[in-house]
Amino acid sequence: MAERRMLSKSLLMDNKFLTLSNDSKSLYLYLLMFADDDGIVKRSIMIDSVLNATDNNYSELEEKGLIIAISGNDEIRVITNWNGIETIREKLYSPTIYLNVRSRLYLKTDFSYTLNKNDPSVFSSADKWINDGRPKNIKDFKPLIQQHLKEVQYMDGTSTVQVQDMDCTSTSPDQNRSDQYRLDQSRTDQDSKDQISQEKINSANMQLSSSNGGMGENASSVDSSTSSKDNNATSENAENGDRLDPERTQEIASLFDSLNQAFDVNLSVDDERLRMLFDNLLNQYKIGYIENGLIELSESAGNQNKGNVKSLVVNHLSETVKSLLTN
């Protein structure tokens, strides 16, 4: 964490700050000084003792929208407009240790934080924006806002924000867009699976025909005309078993066990996004390294609900494993 922080006249002249009590003004300045490079700060006995700060002072800052309280964690606060107040050079930037808190934050078009992913001015999750290099030279937020809404809708399909059409002339409920998006995605996935299954059937028939001196073609036509059950079984195998070999499937199942044990949750091995993540990591690292990464991530994250655990693992497991190997 940096030893110096920036203060501007515009901050001290802001109406939200000027209308604070003097004690709350002092508390806010101290929180700015002791926040990490992502604007997250832990409430400390030292600060409270020096300033005689009380819960009322923290509540006043929250009511003014200057800090964000994190439900389930009374010690952590987030500086709402941190990215507008502070500019930290990339070479000096150090990510927060409170990754579980950062994974719950979103960026609005003024680069302030919010916990509300459905806010109409949100254009990105904090994790994604930071991983992209914390760009501030964004000239057009509309495509980013649209992309963010699609991602939110695809993940849960429950938001009620109005989605502006790309021509900016009308709005429509995003639930309809969510349903259409999921339907299109489902059709695309099914078409891909059907194509893979058919390609495997054709390949098997060609091999059979070659090995039997031309007899395989007749055999395959008989099979296809008399047994739709076999074709269904082939499709099912292509969907559920052929994508991963048995050894890789067992390794992924083992990683799910390690994940659930490390975070004390019960995430299913049917979770496709986590399966893809583990499969990709197993192409790069030994399984033991990934398991150590899960343990390290759980120890730094603290208590999480199931939704936050998945987001945390997807966004940070790769960098945690890499960090362990380089230390």
Side-chain angles (χ1 to χ4, degrees):
M1 186 174 69
E3 292 296 320
R4 298 177 178 85
R5 293 301 185 196
M6 292 169 42
L7 289 178
S8 65
K9 290 182 180 179
S10 60
L11 169 64
L12 301 179
M13 294 174 63
D14 185 89
N15 287 337
K16 290 181 179 179
F17 180 81
L18 290 173
T19 54
L20 292 171
S21 65
N22 288 334
D23 288 343
S24 295
K25 287 177 183 175
S26 299
L27 174 59
Y28 185 58
L29 295 178
Y30 262 77
L31 293 178
L32 284 176
M33 179 59 67
F34 284 91
D36 61 30
D37 287 354
D38 285 323
I40 301 173
V41 59
K42 183 177 182 180
R43 182 174 179 177
S44 71
I45 297 175
M46 184 275 291
I47 294 177
D48 289 356
S49 298
V50 169
L51 301 178
N52 291 321
T54 66
D55 290 341
N56 290 335
N57 297 127
Y58 285 91
S59 296
E60 187 177 1
L61 294 178
E62 293 166 22
E63 290 169 2
K64 294 289 185 181
L66 295 173
I67 63 174
I68 298 172
I70 304 299
S71 61
N73 194 331
D74 294 335
E75 294 186 327
I76 301 299
R77 299 295 188 277
V78 179
I79 308 297
T80 307
N81 194 32
W82 176 259
N83 298 303
I85 297 172
E86 299 293 334
T87 300
I88 303 171
R89 287 180 293 173
E90 188 64 32
K91 291 182 179 180
L92 302 178
Y93 167 75
S94 296
T96 183
I97 63 172
Y98 304 110
L99 297 176
N100 58 325
V101 174
R102 199 181 77 180
S103 68
R104 298 168 63 177
L105 299 174
Y106 296 87
L107 265 293
K108 299 167 67 173
T109 53
D110 61 356
F111 298 100
S112 63
Y113 287 129
T114 179
L115 292 172
N116 182 12
K117 63 184 177 183
N118 294 319
D119 188 301
S121 62
V122 165
F123 71 91
S124 174
S125 67
D127 281 342
K128 184 178 185 301
W129 180 72
I130 290 168
N131 290 335
D132 288 343
R134 301 177 296 146
K136 288 189 178 180
N137 58 342
I138 302 173
K139 296 181 179 179
D140 186 4
F141 285 96
K142 291 177 184 176
L144 298 176
I145 292 173
Q146 292 293 320
Q147 181 61 34
H148 167 73
L149 287 173
K150 284 184 179 181
E151 291 173 358
V152 170
Q153 293 160 5
Y154 180 68
M155 288 297 293
D156 56 28
T158 58
S159 64
T160 57
V161 180
Q162 296 292 314
V163 178
Q164 190 175 48
D165 289 334
M166 292 304 292
D167 61 3
C168 302
T169 58
S170 62
T171 58
S172 57
D174 69 350
Q175 185 62 50
N176 293 336
R177 297 235 179 143
S178 175
D179 293 341
Q180 185 62 45
Y181 183 80
R182 291 197 301 272
L183 179 60
D184 292 343
Q185 186 68 32
S186 176
R187 287 172 176 170
T188 300
D189 292 345
Q190 187 59 49
D191 289 344
S192 177
K193 292 171 184 176
D194 291 343
Q195 182 178 359
I196 293 172
S197 299
Q198 188 59 48
E199 288 175 355
K200 290 188 175 183
I201 294 172
N202 293 339
S203 177
N205 289 340
M206 290 178 65
Q207 292 176 4
L208 183 59
S209 176
S210 176
S211 63
N212 290 338
M215 294 299 294
E217 183 177 354
N218 293 333
S220 67
S221 62
V222 172
D223 289 342
S224 61
S225 63
T226 59
S227 179
S228 60
K229 180 178 180 181
D230 290 342
N231 289 337
N232 291 336
T234 303
S235 299
E236 184 177 351
N237 289 338
E239 179 176 348
N240 296 326
D242 291 343
R243 287 178 296 178
L244 298 175
D245 60 55
E247 182 178 356
R248 177 58 61 88
T249 300
Q250 185 175 0
E251 288 179 328
I252 290 177
S254 178
L255 286 175
F256 269 97
D257 290 340
S258 299
L259 166 64
N260 289 326
Q261 183 176 356
F263 287 92
D264 192 23
V265 292
N266 188 28
L267 293 171
S268 171
V269 294
D270 295 329
D271 190 302
E272 189 64 21
R273 193 172 185 188
L274 287 174
R275 287 178 64 88
M276 291 173 62
L277 171 66
F278 289 148
D279 187 36
N280 182 57
L281 287 176
L282 285 167
N283 291 331
Q284 306 173 60
Y285 308 108
K286 294 181 179 179
I287 187 171
Y289 297 148
I290 304 173
E291 290 173 337
N292 289 338
L294 288 168
I295 295 172
E296 177 73 14
L297 195 59
S298 69
E299 291 176 350
S300 63
N303 295 327
Q304 290 283 294
N305 59 44
K306 291 184 180 180
N308 283 337
V309 165
K310 178 177 177 180
S311 175
L312 186 69
V313 171
V314 168
N315 285 309
H316 299 293
L317 179 57
S318 297
E319 62 187 53
T320 300
V321 175
K322 183 177 181 180
S323 177
L324 285 173
L325 292 176
T326 55
N327 289 338

